[in-house]
Amino acid sequence: MPRPPRYRGRFAPSPTGPLHFGSLVAALASCLDARSHGGEWQVRIEDVDRTREVPGAADAQLATLEALGFAWDGNVVRQSARPERYDAALQALARAGRTYVCACSRRQIAAAGRPGADGWIYPGTCRERGLEDGPHRAVRLRTDDAPVVFVDRVYGDIRCDVERELGDFVVRRADGQHAYQLAVVVDDADQGVTHVVRGADLLLSTPRQILLQRLLGLPSPAYAHVPVALGPDGRKLSKQDAAHPIEHARPLAALLAAWDFLGQRWESGAPGTVTAFWEEAVRGWRLERVTPRPPPPLAEQS
Ligand code: GLU
């Protein structure tokens, strides 16, 4: 049997627009952390949410990564090619009695729920109703009060009571699509990802993902969340924010800006070429220099 790698990282952009500075920061941190550990680094296109996908965006993102000198291992994984894997996980959760069908609209949840750390906490309306699955019905995970505890490599000790702080969350949406939380957990496990390095806007997704890993009997990778670049309004830069796409014509400038943003330093002056950047950055990367900052208002995930 081939031995599993000691370190396999990944970058997982959603194809909702061109790669902007915020996603470059996550790409660079995940790639440098992997390479500086002698590890592998893969790219996964998170196109599970077909409603948010912008045609051509995935290819444009990959072209930008290449123009900046990123080199990934293996083939690019696309979530749109993997619905059977997500269905299998849903079935396993259902067999274990950990999911239920939910017919509530957003408005009903807002009226009966309470605000939580990441959006409305589901009030439990359908938890014991035993509804049949059908059109316009979502599937939710039945959370519990066993705390999820993990040590983030940047943010330190994190403890979350998923049931109380986040509530029962959607694993299959009412439009039939698999939810981000479920797809990520299945993908990270199938790809053999050992280390996740990503933006701190996903810090509260991690307890939900660790809970799903537990329930599905999957290993949990190590997690490091890095601060996210914010726009002038204090919110996370979004890929729809066309004001900040990466300029292919100035790859070194973009890489150096992301390096500085991550609190990294050069021992003897900034490198003058993209090739020199990668050589020196892999040698000089220190995750401990990344300073945690309060996470931004959370991105809406379904
Ligand atoms: N697809 C997510 C995004 O573009 C990242 C998910 C992850 O790294 O787990 O924000």
Side-chain angles (χ1 to χ4, degrees), residues 33 93 133 136 164 233 270 297:
D33 201 61
L93 293 169
D133 202 358
H136 310 300
R164 194 172 50 80
D233 57 356

Side-chain angles (χ1 to χ4, degrees), residues 123-207:
T125 321
C126 295
R127 221 182 199 213
E128 310 304 337
R129 282 175 80 191
L131 293 175
E132 289 291 314
D133 202 358
H136 310 300
R137 292 195 164 173
V139 176
R140 284 185 185 273
L141 189 85
R142 199 182 287 276
T143 54
D144 58 52
D145 60 3
V148 171
V149 181
F150 68 100
V151 183
D152 184 84
R153 295 169 59 219
V154 174
Y155 281 80
D157 291 339
I158 309 272
R159 183 189 170 91
C160 181
D161 174 339
V162 180
E163 183 175 33
R164 194 172 50 80
E165 295 174 60
L166 301 167
D168 290 353
F169 57 91
V170 169
V171 283
R172 203 216 61 215
R173 301 178 355 173
D175 64 3
Q177 299 197 54
H178 298 105
Y180 157 78
Q181 307 290 359
L182 180 80
V184 167
V185 163
V186 173
D187 294 339
D188 283 340
D190 282 357
Q191 286 180 259
V193 169
T194 60
H195 292 69
V196 170
V197 178
R198 61 183 176 191
D201 55 314
L202 295 166
L203 199 51
L204 284 180
S205 287
T206 302

Side-chain angles (χ1 to χ4, degrees), residues 10-16 23 26 44-46 52 61 79 180 184 188 196-199 201-202 205 209 223 236 239 299 301:
R10 50 58 158 194
F11 172 55
S14 307
T16 51
S23 15
R44 174 169 82 227
I45 299 292
E46 298 215 316
R52 287 177 65 223
Q61 290 176 340
Q79 290 183 325
Y180 157 78
V184 167
D188 283 340
V196 170
V197 178
R198 61 183 176 191
D201 55 314
L202 295 166
S205 287
Q209 293 174 14
Y223 287 95
K236 184 191 170 196
K239 297 194 194 71
Q301 302 283 359

Side-chain angles (χ1 to χ4, degrees), residues 60-292:
Q61 290 176 340
L62 295 173
T64 301
L65 289 176
E66 275 180 330
L68 295 177
F70 284 89
W72 52 87
D73 294 304
N75 293 331
V76 172
V77 172
R78 288 178 195 256
Q79 290 183 325
S80 52
R82 301 172 33 78
E84 294 81 12
R85 295 292 302 141
Y86 310 140
D87 273 335
L90 269 181
Q91 281 160 22
L93 293 169
R95 273 197 306 275
R98 293 306 297 242
T99 56
Y100 60 90
V101 172
C102 171
C104 294
S105 66
R106 276 172 197 260
R107 193 178 313 154
Q108 287 168 324
I109 295 170
R114 57 193 164 90
D118 188 11
W120 291 101
I121 296 181
Y122 182 65
T125 321
C126 295
R127 221 182 199 213
E128 310 304 337
R129 282 175 80 191
L131 293 175
E132 289 291 314
D133 202 358
H136 310 300
R137 292 195 164 173
V139 176
R140 284 185 185 273
L141 189 85
R142 199 182 287 276
T143 54
D144 58 52
D145 60 3
V148 171
V149 181
F150 68 100
V151 183
D152 184 84
R153 295 169 59 219
V154 174
Y155 281 80
D157 291 339
I158 309 272
R159 183 189 170 91
C160 181
D161 174 339
V162 180
E163 183 175 33
R164 194 172 50 80
E165 295 174 60
L166 301 167
D168 290 353
F169 57 91
V170 169
V171 283
R172 203 216 61 215
R173 301 178 355 173
D175 64 3
Q177 299 197 54
H178 298 105
Y180 157 78
Q181 307 290 359
L182 180 80
V184 167
V185 163
V186 173
D187 294 339
D188 283 340
D190 282 357
Q191 286 180 259
V193 169
T194 60
H195 292 69
V196 170
V197 178
R198 61 183 176 191
D201 55 314
L202 295 166
L203 199 51
L204 284 180
S205 287
T206 302
R208 283 175 278 206
Q209 293 174 14
I210 292 176
L211 175 59
L212 284 171
Q213 288 154 1
R214 273 190 203 159
L215 296 176
L216 291 165
L218 302 173
S220 290
Y223 287 95
H225 291 82
V226 298
V228 297
L230 303 180
D233 57 356
R235 298 192 73 85
K236 184 191 170 196
L237 291 180
S238 84
K239 297 194 194 71
Q240 291 92 329
D241 184 354
H244 303 277
I246 303 298
E247 287 181 53
H248 284 212
R250 301 180 63 229
L252 183 60
L255 291 166
L256 291 174
W259 174 264
D260 285 347
F261 180 84
L262 286 160
Q264 303 298 304
R265 297 198 287 270
W266 303 110
E267 293 312 327
S268 49
T273 64
V274 169
T275 311
F277 173 89
W278 282 104
E279 272 167 22
E280 292 174 37
V282 170
R283 247 200 330 269
W285 169 254
R286 300 281 180 276
L287 184 73
E288 57 277 16
R289 288 183 181 155
V290 177
T291 322

